Amino acid sequence: MSIVHQQTVQMKQVSHGNFLMRNVLKHNVVFNEGTRGDAAYILTEGKIEISGIIEGHKKVFAILKPISIFGEMALFLDDNTRTATAIALQDSKVIVVTKDDLEEYMRDSPKVISSIITVLVSRLKSTTRKAMKVPSTGMGVVRILDLFSANGTTTLRYDATVRSMADTFITTPERIEQYIHGLAQQGLLSVGRDEHDTRIIRLLKRNLLHEVMKKKD
């Protein structure tokens, strides 16, 4: 996939107001995670992918279709840093809304419209925070194993479990193995082989999550 940097995306003046419209070709980057941003975007045509890098792996947070607003976080975060990457999945058109544009619009809009916009922005910020929040992989591993144990499954195939958890948490199998062996050292599970010489995980505690939380206290 050919990625074209943001600077190469053509811009043209919108006939009404001071807003700019970008024509974004398929696979072009609108903005990159970690870069500084001074504008939000309203998608009017096409399709935009919002993604981020979590533990070295790409994670897609949303696929946007018209009419959608994105990139608004850069207008509200103190350091104006982009929390995700936006890439066009199709030839797209986006309206560029700068911080000054937004503030002017909110000042000039009727009070009720400003209130609606404020609520919308708050909801969007909350949604983005939840999407970008990286869960504790270690506790995630514990919760999955605890679920198996609570439902009477105390023996799991090692390789399949590690691969599945690595895919679920978008991390490496090696990291999942570190957590599993850490639980084994705490006496909460054991790693061995069954009668067919298949590597297995054997859960030794019925309430694994409770045991882990008790050890933390």
Side-chain angles (χ1 to χ4, degrees):
M1 180 175 71
S2 176
I3 301 297
V4 181
H5 291 295
Q6 177 180 350
Q7 290 82 354
T8 66
V9 180
Q10 294 183 343
M11 299 179 66
K12 67 177 182 180
Q13 188 76 28
V14 177
S15 58
H16 56 283
N18 295 319
F19 294 108
L20 294 173
M21 180 173 283
R22 286 188 173 178
N23 292 321
V24 190
L25 298 179
K26 184 178 181 180
H27 300 323
N28 280 16
V29 175
V30 182
F31 54 75
N32 282 298
E33 178 181 4
T35 59
R36 294 183 65 81
D38 59 0
Y41 300 87
I42 300 172
L43 176 64
T44 60
E45 293 182 28
K47 189 180 294 185
I48 299 289
E49 175 191 275
I50 306 298
S51 66
I53 301 299
I54 304 297
E55 296 180 355
H57 293 75
K58 177 181 175 180
K59 181 175 182 179
V60 176
F61 302 126
I63 303 295
L64 304 181
K65 298 179 181 179
I67 299 291
S68 299
I69 184 171
F70 64 99
E72 81 290 341
M73 287 294 290
L75 302 183
F76 298 93
L77 294 178
D78 292 338
D79 60 359
N80 301 108
T81 301
R82 296 292 186 190
T83 58
T85 294
I87 300 176
L89 299 181
Q90 300 174 353
D91 290 350
S92 304
K93 290 184 178 181
V94 297
I95 295 174
V96 182
V97 183
T98 68
K99 188 172 184 179
D100 289 341
D101 292 332
L102 184 64
E103 290 176 349
E104 180 180 356
Y105 177 74
M106 292 184 71
R107 283 196 306 268
D108 296 342
S109 297
K111 186 175 181 180
V112 64
I113 300 299
S114 294
S115 298
I116 292 173
I117 293 173
T118 300
V119 171
L120 174 61
V121 168
S122 177
R123 179 173 60 81
L124 286 169
K125 289 171 69 177
S126 176
T127 300
T128 303
R129 280 197 300 269
K130 290 176 182 177
M132 292 297 295
K133 184 178 180 181
V134 182
S136 167
T137 303
M139 287 306 299
V141 169
V142 170
R143 289 180 183 277
I144 290 176
L145 295 177
D146 182 66
L147 183 62
F148 278 113
S149 178
N151 285 277
T153 301
T154 58
T155 302
L156 305 170
R157 296 179 64 178
Y158 183 92
D159 292 338
T161 301
V162 168
R163 284 196 304 270
S164 178
M165 288 186 176
D167 290 341
T168 299
F169 295 110
I170 317 178
T171 188
T172 62
E174 290 76 16
R175 185 166 186 186
I176 298 298
E177 287 182 300
Q178 288 177 0
Y179 289 118
I180 289 175
H181 288 294
L183 293 171
Q185 291 174 1
Q186 297 178 52
L188 301 176
L189 59 80
S190 64
V191 176
R193 295 185 180 275
D194 62 12
E195 63 274 16
H196 304 293
D197 203 32
T198 299
R199 204 174 185 193
I200 61 170
I201 298 169
R202 184 170 286 111
L203 306 179
L204 304 178
K205 299 291 184 178
R206 176 73 175 180
N207 194 334
L208 197 65
L209 180 59
H210 175 74
E211 293 295 331
V212 170
M213 297 306 295
K214 188 167 63 175
K215 288 178 179 294
K216 283 189 173 185
D217 293 339

